[in-house]
Amino acid sequence: MVAQRELSEAEVDRVFHALATSTRRDILRRTIEREQSVSTLASEYEMSFAAVQKHVAVLEAANLIVKRAEGRKRLVRANPEMIARARALLARYEELWRSRIARLDELLAETPASRTDTTDTTDVPRTEEGD
């Protein structure tokens, strides 16, 4: 198995931007299932061919899909390597948030007596009544 390198910040930005639109997520899903021409993809959406081409270009810039020429056709397929790298990134974010939530749960489960009160109220300004 090939070791996956970390995604650069620019790659992360491109991947999240590409996946931010439902149409692009759907194009990615369709191209995971099988390679398709841009024309075939365009026929599935109620938008212009040019608009679908722009969505494909964003996915291609994020390296989530690969486009190749076959005669006059442009065929598109998902890039499983980049999808795996994006999945690994999301798994790291998930682990980070799960550990933070677990720590929060631990803090909330502590009894009030077991917590040390570090609040010092001697420096809190007090106002006199009638101010």
Side-chain angles (χ1 to χ4, degrees):
M1 183 174 164
V2 176
Q4 295 177 355
R5 67 173 176 78
E6 291 277 324
L7 293 172
S8 70
E9 287 299 313
E11 288 173 316
V12 171
D13 289 346
R14 284 191 296 269
V15 166
F16 281 128
H17 172 70
L19 297 175
T21 302
S22 62
T23 300
R24 290 194 287 263
R25 290 190 304 271
D26 190 60
I27 290 170
L28 185 61
R29 180 191 58 79
R30 290 172 188 272
T31 60
I32 286 171
E33 293 171 1
R34 70 179 196 285
E35 186 176 58
Q36 296 188 42
S37 71
V38 177
S39 299
T40 301
L41 287 169
S43 69
E44 298 294 324
Y45 302 100
E46 292 184 17
M47 63 180 73
S48 69
F49 179 81
V52 173
Q53 278 184 309
K54 287 179 182 179
H55 284 299
V56 167
V58 171
L59 289 164
E60 188 177 24
N63 205 19
L64 289 166
I65 62 169
V66 177
K67 189 165 55 171
R68 69 179 181 89
E70 186 175 282
R72 293 181 54 159
K73 289 184 179 181
R74 298 297 173 255
L75 299 173
V76 179
R77 66 174 167 77
N79 180 355
E81 179 186 334
M82 183 55 95
I83 293 170
R85 291 172 68 199
R87 175 181 274 158
L89 172 69
L90 291 172
R92 286 193 304 276
Y93 284 137
E94 179 183 11
E95 179 56 36
L96 172 73
W97 283 105
R98 286 187 185 276
S99 67
R100 288 180 178 180
I101 290 170
R103 179 65 183 135
L104 183 59
D105 286 344
E106 289 171 10
L107 289 171
L108 293 173
E110 290 179 8
T111 61
S114 67
R115 294 186 199 143
T116 57
D117 186 11
T118 59
T119 307
D120 182 6
T121 60
T122 57
D123 293 333
V124 177
R126 297 178 185 230
T127 60
E128 295 181 23
E129 286 190 18
D131 281 347

